């Protein structure tokens, strides 16, 4: 028998009704552990929908504090949260939405020294980072640890999302082998970003995560979904695993985690608007 | 009524309304073995139409729907194989 309370049955009834979820699927969501890296533009909607969906444990990594300029798109945070750590603001928002979810805040920056220990404890990793250094670090670490990674990047009116399932499809480096040189991609501050594109892409990341946990449907593995919000177009680009990939290929040349020094030279007043674009990667 | 069928599980849903009549039936069906028979009692009349329809759309076989007392009804369903 399922151990759902009456409140849980009501809260998740619209999930349980779905043939692809049911009580069995809802139980999987309850037992799942998801790590969201970045409590910004992408992490906000992803975290909200995953908390609402009843993911049992949500870890959130972010070393930043809420800045007024974040609120145009980072919907976890409120005006009164300006100046408070994003992980704390996120925890408050998610626990208010669903007290049944355990939120674990990690107020630090991911680096080569801490990433492996952290992702080991989670089932699915959601990439909502705002810089290439962390994006490549996370890709390499997830490939090495065999953890599914739902990656997205946003800039201006554009977004890109793909789900990396190590061994079953291409990783980020199969598609983009090396980060662009510093300065080649404008930062969010320079280029700007429309708030709702973060909502679309982060919400797709939440969907991908739920499908991975339930084991239903088809994930965006080997397919990049590219969104041009200004023109109102969704395109799909097929991507293949590269046997020569430096990290997931047949003879990987990257066997130790590497940290790129790609921090943007223009930094906002303590805000997280660092470099961006994954083919567009802001936050 | 198909009462010659042995009943494996009983579920009293008196006081429940849609969609919880089906949600709770489904939660029990998921824990039963294929081919087992569930008898559901409801006192919310629309459930006598909604619940069997939802059960059938998920592949279960509704054996009968009928009165089971004053303003109560029973739905007998066999879990899909
Ligand atoms: Zn690769």
């Amino acid at each position: 028998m399922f151990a759902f309370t009456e409140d849980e049955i009501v809260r998740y009834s619209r999930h349980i009704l779905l043939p692809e979820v049911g009580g069995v699927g809802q139980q999987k969501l309850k037992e799942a552990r998801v790590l969201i890296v970045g409590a910004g533009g992408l992490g906000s909607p992803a975290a909200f929908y995953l908390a609402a969906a009843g993911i049992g444990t949500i870890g959130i990594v972010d070393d930043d504090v809420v800045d007024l300029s974040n609120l145009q798109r980072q919907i976890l945070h409120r005006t009164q949260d300006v100046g408070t750590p994003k992980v704390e603001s996120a925890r408050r928002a998610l626990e208010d939405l669903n007290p049944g979810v355990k939120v674990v805040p990690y107020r630090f920056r991911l680096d080569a020294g801490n990433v492996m220990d952290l992702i080991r404890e989670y089932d699915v990793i959601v990439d909502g980072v705002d810089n290439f250094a962390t994006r490549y670090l996370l890709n390499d670490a997830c490939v090495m640890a065999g953890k599914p990674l739902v990656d997205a990047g946003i800039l201006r009116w554009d977004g890109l999302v793909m789900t990396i399932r190590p061994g079953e499809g291409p990783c980020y480096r199969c598609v983009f082998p090396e980060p662009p040189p510093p300065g080649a991609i404008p930062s969010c501050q320079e280029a700007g970003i429309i708030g709702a594109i973060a909502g679309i892409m982060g919400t797709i990341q939440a969907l991908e995560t739920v499908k991975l946990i339930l084991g239903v449907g088809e994930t965006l593995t080997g397919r990049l979904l590219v969104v041009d919000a200004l023109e109102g177009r969704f395109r799909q680009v097929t991507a293949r695993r590269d046997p020569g990939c430096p990290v997931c290929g047949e003879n990987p040349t990257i066997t130790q985690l590497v940290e790129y020094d790609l921090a943007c030279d223009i930094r906002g007043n303590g805000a997280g608007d660092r470099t961006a674009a994954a083919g567009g990667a802001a936050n | 009524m198909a009462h010659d069928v042995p009943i494996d599980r009983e579920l009293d849903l008196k006081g429940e309304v849609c969609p919880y009549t089906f949600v709770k039936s489904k939660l029990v069906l998921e824990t039963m073995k294929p081919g087992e028979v569930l008898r559901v009692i409801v006192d919310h009349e629309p459930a006598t139409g909604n619940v069997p329809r939802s059960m059938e759309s998920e592949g279960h076989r509704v054996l009968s729907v009928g009165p089971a007392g004053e303003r109560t009804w029973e739905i007998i369903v066999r879990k899909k194989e």
Side-chain angles (χ1 to χ4, degrees):
Chain A
M1 217 29 223
F2 298 109
F4 297 125
T5 63
E6 279 296 306
D7 277 357
E8 284 175 321
I9 291 173
V10 175
R11 181 185 284 268
Y12 303 121
S13 56
R14 269 56 173 181
H15 268 172
I16 295 169
L17 286 166
L18 290 169
E20 297 81 6
V21 186
V24 171
Q26 193 60 47
Q27 185 65 35
K28 286 183 187 169
L29 296 174
K30 192 176 180 178
E31 288 166 9
R33 300 174 55 89
V34 175
L35 183 69
I36 299 173
V37 185
L42 294 165
S44 286
F48 261 132
Y49 273 110
L50 291 171
I55 300 294
T57 306
I58 299 178
I60 301 189
V61 191
D62 204 306
D63 69 339
D64 225 339
V65 296
V66 179
D67 184 82
L68 187 58
S69 69
N70 299 151
L71 302 184
Q72 161 259 20
R73 64 197 180 285
Q74 302 184 12
I75 58 171
L76 275 172
H77 316 297
R78 304 165 300 181
T79 305
Q80 68 199 79
D81 296 322
V82 168
T84 61
K86 285 187 180 177
V87 287
E88 288 310 323
S89 173
R91 173 157 70 175
R92 188 272 315 156
L94 299 175
E95 287 177 353
D96 279 356
L97 172 60
N98 189 350
V101 171
K102 185 182 176 210
V103 179
V104 187
Y106 300 101
R107 196 186 167 194
F108 51 72
R109 226 180 151 69
L110 269 197
D111 60 37
N114 60 28
V115 64
M116 291 307 273
D117 283 341
L118 194 55
I119 65 175
R120 188 173 296 129
E121 295 185 40
Y122 289 88
D123 304 313
V124 181
I125 319 298
V126 175
D127 180 348
V129 306
D130 59 357
N131 67 89
F132 281 109
T134 315
R135 189 175 300 279
Y136 278 83
L137 178 69
L138 206 47
N139 175 74
D140 297 352
C142 286
V143 168
M144 290 176 191
K147 295 283 180 183
L149 171 65
V150 184
D151 188 280
I154 46 177
L155 191 67
R156 299 192 183 99
W157 296 78
D158 299 320
L160 180 151
V161 56
M162 68 185 286
T163 293
I164 296 158
R165 303 172 76 169
E168 291 173 48
C171 79
Y172 196 77
R173 279 190 195 271
C174 290
V175 186
F176 308 105
E178 288 289 326
I185 307 280
S187 76
C188 208
Q189 280 184 348
E190 294 167 312
I193 180 155
I194 196 76
I197 189 73
I200 293 176
M201 305 316 287
T203 302
I204 292 174
Q205 287 180 289
L207 266 177
E208 291 287 291
T209 302
V210 165
K211 289 190 297 179
L212 283 167
I213 294 164
L214 296 176
V216 301
E218 272 189 54
T219 54
L220 291 164
T221 305
R223 295 185 290 149
L224 285 74
L225 184 64
V226 182
V227 179
D228 175 344
L230 194 57
E231 299 293 326
R233 288 183 213 287
F234 285 65
R235 268 188 318 128
Q236 183 181 299
V237 180
T238 306
R240 278 197 193 80
R241 198 168 164 199
D242 175 9
C245 172
V247 66
C248 81
E250 283 155 14
N251 295 299
T253 52
I254 298 169
T255 52
Q256 297 259 311
L257 292 171
V258 287
E259 271 185 74
Y260 295 97
D261 184 17
L262 295 174
C264 182
D265 29 6
I266 307 165
R267 292 199 180 197
N269 327 317
D273 280 345
R274 230 148 280 146
T275 309
N283 193 334
Chain B
M1 283 185 284
H3 262 127
D4 26 356
V5 187
I7 305 291
D8 298 291
R9 278 288 283 279
E10 287 252 358
L11 181 62
D12 184 348
L13 292 180
K14 288 199 288 286
E16 295 284 354
V17 298
C18 297
Y20 303 105
T21 44
F22 176 62
V23 167
K24 292 193 170 182
S25 303
K26 178 169 174 174
L27 286 172
V28 170
L29 278 164
E30 283 186 62
T31 64
M32 292 170 60
K33 294 196 189 76
E36 285 188 334
V37 175
L38 172 69
R39 178 172 184 254
V40 180
I41 308 292
V42 296
D43 61 3
H44 174 67
E45 194 167 8
T48 60
N50 298 337
V51 172
R53 194 165 52 241
S54 299
M55 286 170 167
E56 284 183 336
S57 82
E58 294 216 339
H60 306 297
R61 215 172 97 211
V62 176
L63 303 178
S64 71
V65 181
E70 199 178 325
R71 291 208 57 77
T72 60
W73 296 269
E74 64 171 19
I75 300 156
I76 301 190
V77 59
R78 187 186 294 282
K79 180 168 173 167
K80 67 179 168 193
E81 296 288 345

